[in-house]
C-alpha cells in the first residue's frame, strides 16, 4: 500500500518532505494506517487527537490507545478535550457538525502554532463514494459528483486512493491493531445506512461497484475543470461590479448582471446557479429567481449574507450589513458616519457655489444645528433645488433611475426641524440655496 499512497501523494502534490505535517489520529483503522504509512514514507509528522466525550469509556479508551501507539512509534502527540454536547446546544448545531467544527478549528490552530504545513486526515476511497451517493440522494450539481477532494486548503487526504478493505488488509499484514468506534456500526444516520446497507448490496450486485463509482468521480473531476472554465468565461463577460453613487453609504460594492445577457448564455439557469452559489443562495432559491426573471422591478431574494434585487432588467447582488441609524452633528468639525466615510462641516464668508456632487454650499442663516445624517425613510420629502413644490425622496430617486440597491443606503442631511437639507450626492433642498441675500455659507463635504 505504501507505493500506491506515495504515487497518489506525488500525483496531487499533497506533501513535502522538508516540512512538518499533522496527522489527525482517532485510533481507528484509517487514521492508524495513515500515521504508519506516512512515517514509513519518511515524512516528518506529529499526531493530534480529539476526545469529544461522546462515547463514555470508549472515548477515553481511544485516547489511551493513540497515546500508546505514538509512544511506541516515537511520534509526538497533541491531545485536546471537548464538551461537544454543550457546544452543539450553545451553537444550535447537530452533534456531528459540532464535532466537525471543533475538530478542524483545533487542527488549524495547532498547525499554526507548530508551523506545520498540512493537516492529514484519513478519508479513503469508500468515504468518497459514500459522499457522492449522499449528494445524489439529496440532489446535487456537477460539483457534488466529484466525491471528496485530495486537498482543501491545508487539509490533505493521502488515502483517497485506497479502500477500507485495503487499509484493513495492510494493518493485518503488519500486525497492527486499532480501535473500533461503536457508533459506526449503528445505522442511525444516512452515511451509516449507506455504509452498512447500500454499499454492501451494491458490491453484491457488482463486486467492483465502489471502485467504478470512484473512477467515475475522477472522470467528473476532469469534466468539472472544463465546466468551471466555461462558467468563468461566460460570467466574466456579463458580470459587472457596481460602485455606489456618492451619497449612497454602501461602500462594500455590489455586482450585477443584465437579464438579457444572462438569458443569451447556453443555460441561463446553470450560469445563474454558479454565479449565486458563492453568495449563499440555495438551488431552490436559484430556481425561484430563474422563474422570476421577467418579474417587475422590486422583487428581492435573501441569503444569510446577501440580497438579490430584480431592478430594471438587471439582477443586483449586494452584501447584507447593518448601517448606522444616524449621525448627529452639533457644530462645525469632522464627523465619522462609517469607517471610510466622514462629513466635514465648515462655515465661511466665501459665497461661491460648489459644483461637486460630494460637497454642498448653503445659506448658513436658514440652517439650524444640530444637523443629522441618516438613511432615507419612508415618507421623506423635500423641494429639490430649482423646482416648484415638494417631492417624495423615493420618487425623486426613481426618476433619476437610482437602483433599489443604492436606494437602501441613500443618505440625507436634515436640520433641527427634521427638514431635508441635502439628498447626499444628488441635490440640495431649494429653501437652503445661496441667494443674493446670503452673507455666510455652510459647507458640507463628504470625505471618503
Amino acid at each position: 500500500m505504501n507505493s500506491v499512497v506515495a504515487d497518489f501523494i506525488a500525483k496531487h502534490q499533497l506533501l513535502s518532505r522538508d516540512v512538518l505535517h499533522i496527522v489527525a489520529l482517532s485510533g481507528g483503522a484509517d487514521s492508524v494506517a495513515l500515521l504508519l504509512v506516512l512515517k514509513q514514507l519518511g515524512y516528518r509528522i506529529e499526531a493530534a487527537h480529539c476526545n469529544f466525550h461522546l462515547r463514555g469509556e470508549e472515548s477515553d479508551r481511544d485516547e489511551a490507545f493513540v497515546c500508546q501507539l505514538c509512544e511506541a512509534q516515537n511520534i509526538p502527540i497533541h491531545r485536546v478535550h471537548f464538551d461537544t454536547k454543550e457546544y452543539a446546544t450553545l451553537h444550535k448545531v447537530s452533534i456531528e457538525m459540532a464535532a466537525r467544527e471543533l475538530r478542524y478549528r483545533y487542527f488549524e490552530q495547532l498547525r499554526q502554532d507548530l508551523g506545520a504545513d498540512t493537516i492529514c486526515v484519513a478519508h479513503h476511497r469508500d468515504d468518497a463514494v459514500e459522499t457522492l451517493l449522499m449528494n445524489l440522494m439529496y440532489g446535487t450539481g456537477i460539483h457534488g459528483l466529484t466525491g471528496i477532494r485530495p486537498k482543501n486548503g491545508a487539509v490533505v487526504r493521502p488515502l483517497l486512493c485506497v479502500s477500507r478493505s485495503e487499509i484493513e488488509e495492510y494493518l493485518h499484514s503488519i500486525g497492527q491493531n486499532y480501535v473500533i468506534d461503536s457508533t459506526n456500526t449503528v445505522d442511525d444516520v444516512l452515511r451509516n445506512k449507506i455504509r452498512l446497507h447500500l454499499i454492501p448490496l451494491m458490491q453484491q450486485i457488482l463486486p467492483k461497484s465502489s471502485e467504478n463509482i470512484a473512477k467515475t468521480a475522477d472522470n467528473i473531476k476532469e469534466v468539472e475543470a472544463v465546466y468551471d472554465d466555461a462558467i468563468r468565461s461566460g460570467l466574466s463577460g456579463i458580470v459587472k461590479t457596481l460602485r455606489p453613487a456618492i451619497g449612497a453609504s454602501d461602500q462594500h460594492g455590489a455586482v450585477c448582471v443584465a437579464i438579457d445577457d444572462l438569458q443569451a448564455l447556453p443555460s441561463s439557469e446553470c450560469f445563474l446557479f454558479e454565479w449565486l452559489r458563492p453568495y449563499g443562495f440555495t438551488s431552490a432559491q436559484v430556481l425561484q429567481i430563474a422563474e422570476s426573471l421577467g418579474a417587475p422591478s422590486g422583487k428581492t431574494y435573501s441569503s444569510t449574507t446577501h440580497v438579490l434585487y430584480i431592478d430594471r432588467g438587471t439582477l443586483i447582488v449586494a452584501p447584507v450589513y447593518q448601517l448606522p441609524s444616524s449621525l448627529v452633528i452639533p457644530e462645525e468639525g469632522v464627523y465619522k458616519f462609517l469607517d471610510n466615510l466622514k462629513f466635514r462641516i465648515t462655515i465661511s464668508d466665501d459665497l461661491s457655489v460648489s459644483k461637486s456632487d460630494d460637497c454642498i454650499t448653503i445659506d448658513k442663516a436658514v440652517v439650524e444645528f444640530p444637523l443629522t445624517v441618516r438613511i432615507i425613510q419612508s415618507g421623506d420629502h423635500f423641494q429639490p433645488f430649482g423646482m416648484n413644490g415638494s417631492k417624495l425622496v423615493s420618487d425623486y430617486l426613481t426618476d433619476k433611475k437610482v437602483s433599489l440597491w443604492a436606494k437602501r443606503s441613500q443618505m440625507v442631511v436634515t436640520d433641527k426641524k427634521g427638514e431635508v437639507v441635502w439628498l447626499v450626492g444628488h441635490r440640495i433642498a431649494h429653501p437652503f440655496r445661496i441667494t443674493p441675500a446670503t452673507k455666510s455659507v455652510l459647507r458640507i463635504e463628504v470625505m471618503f
Side-chain angles (χ1 to χ4, degrees):
M1 190 170 83
N2 287 6
S3 61
V4 175
V5 174
D7 290 344
F8 185 79
I9 291 172
K11 176 182 177 181
H12 295 281
Q13 300 180 335
L14 300 183
L15 303 174
S16 299
R17 293 191 178 278
D18 56 349
V19 294
L20 176 64
H21 305 284
I22 296 171
V23 177
L25 182 63
S26 67
D30 313 331
S31 66
V32 169
L34 176 62
L35 184 82
L36 298 180
V37 167
L38 293 185
K39 181 188 177 186
Q40 290 166 9
L41 291 176
Y43 289 101
R44 187 156 66 91
I45 58 174
E46 295 186 13
H49 177 78
C50 300
N51 189 332
F52 296 104
H53 291 283
L54 293 174
R55 294 177 287 119
E57 292 181 359
E58 204 174 89
S59 293
D60 296 331
R61 175 210 65 185
D62 294 354
E63 182 177 357
F65 171 81
V66 298
C67 288
Q68 293 168 5
L69 174 64
C70 288
E71 183 179 1
Q73 295 292 330
N74 196 28
I75 297 173
I77 183 169
H78 307 270
R79 295 174 290 161
V80 66
H81 289 239
F82 294 118
D83 189 336
T84 313
K85 291 181 180 178
E86 182 178 350
Y87 180 93
T89 301
L90 182 64
H91 294 272
K92 296 180 173 59
V93 296
S94 67
I95 292 293
E96 184 180 23
M97 181 58 67
R100 175 184 172 79
E101 290 179 3
L102 289 168
R103 174 169 63 247
Y104 281 103
R105 186 181 303 165
Y106 167 68
F107 290 156
E108 176 56 24
Q109 186 60 59
L110 181 63
R111 185 186 73 84
Q112 294 180 25
D113 292 344
L114 296 177
D117 189 57
T118 64
I119 301 158
C120 304
V121 295
H123 292 119
H124 49 73
R125 188 171 65 209
D126 292 355
D127 291 321
V129 171
E130 291 166 11
T131 298
L132 189 152
L133 292 173
M134 287 175 65
N135 290 343
L136 275 175
M137 290 179 174
Y138 284 123
T140 187
I142 190 170
H143 298 292
L145 298 176
T146 58
I148 302 174
R149 297 184 182 279
K151 186 171 186 176
N152 182 15
V155 177
V156 297
R157 301 176 174 90
L159 296 188
L160 282 180
C161 55
V162 294
S163 67
R164 169 75 183 198
S165 61
E166 289 172 319
I167 289 171
E168 291 176 345
E169 288 172 9
Y170 163 75
L171 292 175
H172 178 71
S173 70
I174 62 173
Q176 176 62 57
N177 63 335
Y178 52 87
V179 297
I180 296 175
D181 183 344
S182 62
T183 62
N184 290 334
T185 64
V186 181
D187 62 352
D188 56 344
V189 295
L190 179 58
R191 183 176 290 276
N192 282 3
K193 293 178 190 295
I194 292 172
R195 178 181 299 152
L196 298 173
H197 303 298
L198 180 56
I199 289 181
L201 178 59
M202 290 167 51
Q203 295 289 89
Q204 232 179 358
I205 297 171
L206 187 65
K208 288 194 173 183
S209 57
S210 288
E211 184 179 342
N212 292 338
I213 291 173
K215 288 179 180 178
T216 299
D218 287 338
N219 293 337
I220 293 175
K221 283 187 177 75
E222 298 300 316
V223 175
E224 180 187 46
V226 178
Y227 170 86
D228 287 343
D229 184 67
I231 292 294
R232 280 192 299 269
S233 177
L235 290 178
S236 66
I238 65 173
V239 176
K240 298 178 181 178
T241 299
L242 293 177
R243 298 297 177 189
I246 295 171
S249 60
D250 180 352
Q251 295 299 304
H252 295 267
V255 291
C256 72
V257 165
I259 292 175
D260 287 345
D261 290 342
L262 180 67
Q263 292 179 323
L265 294 172
S267 172
S268 58
E269 187 175 320
C270 179
F271 279 89
L272 184 64
F273 174 77
E274 296 300 343
W275 179 48
L276 296 179
R277 183 166 57 95
Y279 300 114
F281 292 93
T282 65
S283 56
Q285 285 179 304
V286 172
L287 182 60
Q288 292 176 347
I289 294 166
E291 293 173 347
S292 302
L293 294 180
S297 296
K299 199 166 183 62
T300 64
Y301 297 86
S302 297
S303 71
T304 55
T305 58
H306 287 76
V307 179
L308 180 141
Y309 303 85
I310 298 179
D311 188 28
R312 298 183 182 89
T314 303
L315 300 179
I316 301 174
V317 177
V320 174
Y321 61 96
Q322 187 65 43
L323 289 166
S325 56
S326 63
L327 166 68
V328 176
I329 300 174
E331 57 186 5
E332 288 183 88
V334 176
Y335 299 85
K336 184 171 76 173
F337 187 69
L338 295 170
D339 287 341
N340 57 348
L341 189 143
K342 300 176 183 178
F343 284 82
R344 180 162 58 196
I345 315 297
T346 55
I347 299 172
S348 75
D349 296 329
D350 181 359
L351 302 183
S352 58
V353 177
S354 171
K355 304 294 186 181
S356 172
D357 289 336
D358 61 353
C359 178
I360 63 167
T361 46
I362 55 180
D363 192 334
K364 170 63 178 68
V366 297
V367 182
E368 189 174 357
F369 284 101
L371 303 178
T372 300
V373 180
R374 61 170 173 79
I375 305 303
I376 61 171
Q377 300 172 354
S378 177
D380 277 344
H381 60 89
F382 77 130
Q383 182 185 352
F385 174 73
M387 296 179 62
N388 294 321
S390 179
K391 193 176 188 71
L392 283 172
V393 167
S394 60
D395 289 345
Y396 178 88
L397 293 173
T398 298
D399 292 344
K400 293 295 182 181
K401 301 190 183 309
V402 175
S403 70
L404 293 171
W405 159 69
K407 278 184 181 179
R408 72 170 184 165
S409 54
Q410 175 63 51
M411 297 179 292
V412 291
V413 177
T414 62
D415 66 0
K416 183 178 181 179
K417 297 177 182 178
E419 295 184 5
V420 174
V421 174
W422 183 25
L423 182 58
V424 179
H426 292 279
R427 188 164 292 195
I428 66 168
H430 190 76
F432 299 93
R433 72 194 185 283
I434 292 176
T435 70
T438 299
K439 295 180 180 179
S440 181
V441 167
L442 180 68
R443 181 184 179 93
I444 306 176
E445 182 181 1
V446 179
M447 301 166 60
F448 298 102

